[in-house]
mmCIF file of all heavy atoms in Angstrom:
data_model
loop_
_atom_site.group_PDB
_atom_site.id
_atom_site.type_symbol
_atom_site.label_atom_id
_atom_site.label_comp_id
_atom_site.label_asym_id
_atom_site.label_seq_id
_atom_site.Cartn_x
_atom_site.Cartn_y
_atom_site.Cartn_z
ATOM 1 N N ARG A 76 7.393 -18.452 13.484
ATOM 2 C CA ARG A 76 6.234 -17.520 13.310
ATOM 3 C C ARG A 76 5.738 -17.611 11.788
ATOM 4 O O ARG A 76 6.417 -17.593 10.888
ATOM 5 C CB ARG A 76 6.691 -16.015 13.501
ATOM 6 C CG ARG A 76 5.588 -15.021 13.263
ATOM 7 C CD ARG A 76 6.157 -13.673 12.710
ATOM 8 N NE ARG A 76 6.631 -13.900 11.347
ATOM 9 C CZ ARG A 76 6.011 -14.000 10.148
ATOM 10 N NH1 ARG A 76 4.679 -13.835 10.261
ATOM 11 N NH2 ARG A 76 6.553 -14.202 9.038
ATOM 12 N N ARG A 77 4.407 -17.929 11.768
ATOM 13 C CA ARG A 77 3.766 -18.099 10.478
ATOM 14 C C ARG A 77 2.413 -17.569 10.580
ATOM 15 O O ARG A 77 1.680 -17.795 11.566
ATOM 16 C CB ARG A 77 3.810 -19.584 10.088
ATOM 17 C CG ARG A 77 3.662 -20.026 8.620
ATOM 18 C CD ARG A 77 4.990 -19.941 7.824
ATOM 19 N NE ARG A 77 5.401 -18.653 7.449
ATOM 20 C CZ ARG A 77 6.785 -18.240 7.389
ATOM 21 N NH1 ARG A 77 7.751 -19.150 7.641
ATOM 22 N NH2 ARG A 77 7.050 -17.061 7.210
ATOM 23 N N THR A 78 1.925 -16.960 9.459
ATOM 24 C CA THR A 78 0.473 -16.601 9.394
ATOM 25 C C THR A 78 -0.321 -17.958 9.194
ATOM 26 O O THR A 78 -0.169 -18.532 8.225
ATOM 27 C CB THR A 78 0.202 -15.507 8.324
ATOM 28 O OG1 THR A 78 0.891 -14.407 8.607
ATOM 29 C CG2 THR A 78 -1.205 -15.261 8.200
ATOM 30 N N TRP A 80 -4.545 -19.597 9.763
ATOM 31 C CA TRP A 80 -5.922 -19.549 10.206
ATOM 32 C C TRP A 80 -6.335 -20.750 10.966
ATOM 33 O O TRP A 80 -7.618 -21.002 11.281
ATOM 34 C CB TRP A 80 -6.836 -19.399 8.942
ATOM 35 C CG TRP A 80 -6.786 -17.916 8.408
ATOM 36 C CD1 TRP A 80 -5.922 -17.518 7.503
ATOM 37 C CD2 TRP A 80 -7.729 -16.895 8.687
ATOM 38 N NE1 TRP A 80 -6.175 -16.167 7.118
ATOM 39 C CE2 TRP A 80 -7.219 -15.823 7.848
ATOM 40 C CE3 TRP A 80 -8.768 -16.696 9.575
ATOM 41 C CZ2 TRP A 80 -7.889 -14.569 7.869
ATOM 42 C CZ3 TRP A 80 -9.380 -15.505 9.486
ATOM 43 C CH2 TRP A 80 -9.032 -14.342 8.666
ATOM 44 N N THR A 170 -11.570 -11.278 3.937
ATOM 45 C CA THR A 170 -11.300 -12.736 3.852
ATOM 46 C C THR A 170 -12.461 -13.460 4.686
ATOM 47 O O THR A 170 -12.874 -14.570 4.240
ATOM 48 C CB THR A 170 -9.989 -12.911 4.674
ATOM 49 O OG1 THR A 170 -9.113 -11.884 4.373
ATOM 50 C CG2 THR A 170 -9.370 -14.278 4.407
ATOM 51 N N GLN A 218 2.757 -11.442 17.535
ATOM 52 C CA GLN A 218 2.935 -12.664 16.770
ATOM 53 C C GLN A 218 4.067 -13.484 17.375
ATOM 54 O O GLN A 218 3.979 -14.674 17.515
ATOM 55 C CB GLN A 218 3.409 -12.381 15.238
ATOM 56 C CG GLN A 218 2.134 -12.072 14.378
ATOM 57 C CD GLN A 218 2.553 -12.391 12.948
ATOM 58 O OE1 GLN A 218 3.421 -11.737 12.283
ATOM 59 N NE2 GLN A 218 1.887 -13.389 12.351
ATOM 60 N N VAL A 229 -2.976 -14.290 12.667
ATOM 61 C CA VAL A 229 -3.114 -13.706 11.367
ATOM 62 C C VAL A 229 -3.202 -12.155 11.463
ATOM 63 O O VAL A 229 -4.071 -11.556 12.118
ATOM 64 C CB VAL A 229 -4.511 -14.121 10.770
ATOM 65 C CG1 VAL A 229 -4.557 -13.614 9.336
ATOM 66 C CG2 VAL A 229 -4.579 -15.633 10.650
ATOM 67 N N PRO A 230 -2.165 -11.513 10.904
ATOM 68 C CA PRO A 230 -2.226 -10.065 10.935
ATOM 69 C C PRO A 230 -3.266 -9.613 9.703
ATOM 70 O O PRO A 230 -3.130 -10.319 8.637
ATOM 71 C CB PRO A 230 -0.813 -9.627 10.602
ATOM 72 C CG PRO A 230 0.010 -10.785 10.176
ATOM 73 C CD PRO A 230 -0.973 -12.034 10.266
ATOM 74 N N ILE A 231 -3.990 -8.651 9.954
ATOM 75 C CA ILE A 231 -5.031 -8.330 8.935
ATOM 76 C C ILE A 231 -5.159 -6.813 8.585
ATOM 77 O O ILE A 231 -5.371 -6.084 9.493
ATOM 78 C CB ILE A 231 -6.384 -8.739 9.446
ATOM 79 C CG1 ILE A 231 -6.426 -10.256 9.688
ATOM 80 C CG2 ILE A 231 -7.484 -8.443 8.514
ATOM 81 C CD1 ILE A 231 -7.597 -10.806 10.484
ATOM 82 N N GLY A 232 -4.835 -6.560 7.347
ATOM 83 C CA GLY A 232 -4.975 -5.171 6.882
ATOM 84 C C GLY A 232 -6.227 -4.947 6.149
ATOM 85 O O GLY A 232 -6.725 -3.877 6.004
ATOM 86 N N GLY A 233 -6.803 -6.105 5.671
ATOM 87 C CA GLY A 233 -8.040 -5.955 4.783
ATOM 88 C C GLY A 233 -9.305 -5.912 5.572
ATOM 89 O O GLY A 233 -10.100 -6.771 5.356
ATOM 90 N N PHE A 234 -9.464 -4.891 6.444
ATOM 91 C CA PHE A 234 -10.785 -4.840 7.183
ATOM 92 C C PHE A 234 -11.545 -3.487 6.680
ATOM 93 O O PHE A 234 -10.970 -2.560 6.154
ATOM 94 C CB PHE A 234 -10.510 -4.670 8.708
ATOM 95 C CG PHE A 234 -9.650 -3.607 9.097
ATOM 96 C CD1 PHE A 234 -10.081 -2.295 9.271
ATOM 97 C CD2 PHE A 234 -8.208 -3.806 9.190
ATOM 98 C CE1 PHE A 234 -9.280 -1.251 9.583
ATOM 99 C CE2 PHE A 234 -7.399 -2.686 9.477
ATOM 100 C CZ PHE A 234 -7.907 -1.507 9.705
ATOM 101 N N TYR A 253 -4.947 -1.528 12.075
ATOM 102 C CA TYR A 253 -4.500 -2.999 11.842
ATOM 103 C C TYR A 253 -5.315 -3.878 12.792
ATOM 104 O O TYR A 253 -5.647 -3.480 13.851
ATOM 105 C CB TYR A 253 -2.939 -2.984 12.299
ATOM 106 C CG TYR A 253 -2.071 -4.037 11.708
ATOM 107 C CD1 TYR A 253 -2.430 -4.846 10.622
ATOM 108 C CD2 TYR A 253 -0.755 -4.061 12.207
ATOM 109 C CE1 TYR A 253 -1.546 -5.695 10.087
ATOM 110 C CE2 TYR A 253 0.218 -5.000 11.507
ATOM 111 C CZ TYR A 253 -0.237 -5.828 10.549
ATOM 112 O OH TYR A 253 0.718 -6.639 9.925
HETATM 113 C C1 LIG B 301 0.295 -5.337 6.679
HETATM 114 C C2 LIG B 301 -0.186 -6.881 6.537
HETATM 115 C C3 LIG B 301 -1.453 -7.005 6.222
HETATM 116 C C4 LIG B 301 -2.074 -8.294 6.078
HETATM 117 N N1 LIG B 301 -3.362 -8.467 5.877
HETATM 118 C C5 LIG B 301 -3.864 -9.776 5.748
HETATM 119 C C6 LIG B 301 -5.247 -9.992 5.496
HETATM 120 O O1 LIG B 301 -6.056 -8.916 5.482
HETATM 121 N N2 LIG B 301 -5.703 -11.161 5.459
HETATM 122 C C7 LIG B 301 -4.916 -12.269 5.634
HETATM 123 O O2 LIG B 301 -5.402 -13.471 5.524
HETATM 124 N N3 LIG B 301 -3.587 -12.208 5.801
HETATM 125 C C8 LIG B 301 -2.988 -10.886 5.889
HETATM 126 N N4 LIG B 301 -1.606 -10.750 6.129
HETATM 127 C C9 LIG B 301 -0.830 -11.898 6.392
HETATM 128 C C10 LIG B 301 0.059 -12.102 5.039
HETATM 129 O O3 LIG B 301 -0.771 -12.838 4.060
HETATM 130 C C11 LIG B 301 1.224 -13.043 5.413
HETATM 131 O O4 LIG B 301 2.038 -12.288 6.365
HETATM 132 C C12 LIG B 301 2.033 -13.527 4.123
HETATM 133 O O5 LIG B 301 1.428 -14.340 3.436
HETATM 134 C C13 LIG B 301 3.433 -13.911 4.578
HETATM 135 O O6 LIG B 301 3.230 -15.206 5.355
HETATM 136 P P1 LIG B 301 3.828 -15.292 6.923
HETATM 137 O O7 LIG B 301 3.280 -14.270 7.682
HETATM 138 O O8 LIG B 301 3.443 -16.790 7.264
HETATM 139 O O9 LIG B 301 5.311 -15.239 6.789
HETATM 140 C C14 LIG B 301 -1.162 -9.420 6.244
HETATM 141 C C15 LIG B 301 0.179 -9.271 6.521
HETATM 142 C C16 LIG B 301 0.595 -7.846 6.688
HETATM 143 C C17 LIG B 301 2.104 -7.640 7.057
#
Side-chain angles (χ1 to χ4, degrees):
R76 182 213 60 82
R77 203 80 291 140
T78 296
W80 287 86
T170 324
Q218 279 206 295
V229 182
I231 300 167
F234 57 85
Y253 207 6

